[in-house]
Amino acid sequence: MLSFEHQFATLPEPLWMACQPTPVSQPTLIVFNQRLAETLGFETGLKSKPDDATLAQWFSGNQLPPGAEPRALGYAGHQFGNFVPQLGDGRALLLGEVVDQNGIRRDVQLKGSGRTPFSRGGDGRSPLGPVLREYLVSEFMAAMGVPTTRALAAVSTGERVVRQLPEPGAVFTRVASSHIRVGTFQFAAVRRDEAALKALADHVIERHYPEAASADDPYLALLEAVVARQAMLVARWMSLGFIHGVMNTDNCSIAGETIDYGPCAFMEQFDPQKVYSSIDQGKRYAFDNQPAIAQWNLARFAETLLPLMREEGDTVVELATDIIRRFGPLFDAEQHRLHADKLGLAADSDQAVTLMEMLESQMHQGRMDMTATFDALTHYASTSSETHKEALLALTTQPKELAAWLDKWQAVQVASQDSERLAAMRRANPVVIPRNHRIQEVIDAAYEGDFAPFHSLLAAVTQPFDESAEARRLAAPATENEQVLRTFCGT
């Protein structure tokens, strides 16, 4: 069984509040991530494997797993730029922490398990659709090597959740390096509780950034480490066309993981200003805005740490500001590396950025699907065949312009072409992504009680380089009639 520990509970209230999940009427296991469970030590010491009914009881909150001590976590947040001093886990409960087989401490959390002291009038439940979306997208991200929270289980509740209309309910079990956010620090800072703030910062240093403890100023070193992780994370999002949708400070993980997959989606037809979230009317979190928003969030994090830092006054502000400014160069360096991989170029290529900017312009003007373009380019790079070139040119409305770009790219790419570069190119360019219309198909079928499409899509997106006929079917871009242009948060 999971061996729960409770280090976060050593921090002062109201950073957390004890709370029990609300039982559901008919919990039924939809999916259980056996491989992830094994890395968490799930079956260690068990005489027999728990059956689906037992798993459904545990991961719906009806019957707590042995050793679990559920707590709702407090946090604040800037939501679309507007500061809200108290948000918190309104529908989620931390069961505890597990030290996995690699010695890494991981949170295990129920999401959709009922009201908490932070619910603010909400019902504390989750519809089935957002649970399936988060399961699929987070596991795809993990398969692509992007830092992310993970999906351990999904359970249907047998109850209805009312949003715009009544929908089937579900509970999601999420695993994370931690659930500590920029908003967690804002929650302590806005209360002017320096003892709680220091305890939180020391906890984060011990858990995530132990090297910062020996620095001249541990809290300045903490800021520097978080900035570096966020820069690398957002660069990886951009390389896959991922649009988070709600990059509020309460959705910005201090551990540098992708967290809170609400109205997220992967860009299909390339558009730097693409927005999927139905609530982002001002395009604050559009695709191309994500690096700047991440840096803005980090500046809010820096503000919370200033009282803990060794220097004071203008000096400490200048030091923190200098670290925030490093986000840009760190992001650019990681993006350069990713551009080189996606284009099949040498890591130190001085042409990678220019060629990528030119290709992105071609994709935008030629109405090209981002994932299909890089998949086709990968095939062409490995074969140089006219058939694969024609398949690539067929993706654009401006084939002459793309052909001219291909000539420039090939002159650079051929010089660095070898099996290692081609392998890196393939690893950077998935065949299958969790396309928005495929996720919607899965959700529609599940609402009718059919989970087979969900399991098929899950199998495909967790093997994102599969070239099988089924993978190719699921990889196809949406037709005009299949396009899903908006996504919704599940709260």
mmCIF file with all atom_site columns, all heavy atoms in Angstrom, residues 1 361 479:
data_model
loop_
_atom_site.group_PDB
_atom_site.id
_atom_site.type_symbol
_atom_site.label_atom_id
_atom_site.label_alt_id
_atom_site.label_comp_id
_atom_site.label_asym_id
_atom_site.label_entity_id
_atom_site.label_seq_id
_atom_site.pdbx_PDB_ins_code
_atom_site.Cartn_x
_atom_site.Cartn_y
_atom_site.Cartn_z
_atom_site.occupancy
_atom_site.B_iso_or_equiv
_atom_site.pdbx_formal_charge
_atom_site.auth_seq_id
_atom_site.auth_comp_id
_atom_site.auth_asym_id
_atom_site.auth_atom_id
_atom_site.pdbx_PDB_model_num
ATOM 1  N N   . MET A 1 1   ? 0.837   -1.179 0.000   1.00 0.00 ? 1   MET A N   1
ATOM 2  C CA  . MET A 1 1   ? 0.000   0.000  0.000   1.00 0.00 ? 1   MET A CA  1
ATOM 3  C C   . MET A 1 1   ? 0.882   1.242  0.000   1.00 0.00 ? 1   MET A C   1
ATOM 4  O O   . MET A 1 1   ? 2.057   1.181  0.320   1.00 0.00 ? 1   MET A O   1
ATOM 5  C CB  . MET A 1 1   ? -0.911  -0.037 1.236   1.00 0.00 ? 1   MET A CB  1
ATOM 6  C CG  . MET A 1 1   ? -2.036  0.981  1.231   1.00 0.00 ? 1   MET A CG  1
ATOM 7  S SD  . MET A 1 1   ? -2.945  0.997  -0.321  1.00 0.00 ? 1   MET A SD  1
ATOM 8  C CE  . MET A 1 1   ? -3.168  2.718  -0.576  1.00 0.00 ? 1   MET A CE  1
ATOM 9  N N   . SER A 1 361 ? 6.400   31.421 -39.551 1.00 0.00 ? 361 SER A N   1
ATOM 10 C CA  . SER A 1 361 ? 5.706   32.358 -40.434 1.00 0.00 ? 361 SER A CA  1
ATOM 11 C C   . SER A 1 361 ? 5.013   31.616 -41.571 1.00 0.00 ? 361 SER A C   1
ATOM 12 O O   . SER A 1 361 ? 3.861   31.913 -41.916 1.00 0.00 ? 361 SER A O   1
ATOM 13 C CB  . SER A 1 361 ? 6.704   33.379 -41.002 1.00 0.00 ? 361 SER A CB  1
ATOM 14 O OG  . SER A 1 361 ? 6.067   34.260 -41.891 1.00 0.00 ? 361 SER A OG  1
ATOM 15 N N   . THR A 1 479 ? -11.068 17.886 -39.070 1.00 0.00 ? 479 THR A N   1
ATOM 16 C CA  . THR A 1 479 ? -11.681 18.462 -40.260 1.00 0.00 ? 479 THR A CA  1
ATOM 17 C C   . THR A 1 479 ? -12.433 19.735 -39.857 1.00 0.00 ? 479 THR A C   1
ATOM 18 O O   . THR A 1 479 ? -12.554 20.053 -38.667 1.00 0.00 ? 479 THR A O   1
ATOM 19 C CB  . THR A 1 479 ? -12.669 17.473 -40.894 1.00 0.00 ? 479 THR A CB  1
ATOM 20 O OG1 . THR A 1 479 ? -13.749 17.248 -39.972 1.00 0.00 ? 479 THR A OG1 1
ATOM 21 C CG2 . THR A 1 479 ? -11.988 16.143 -41.212 1.00 0.00 ? 479 THR A CG2 1
#
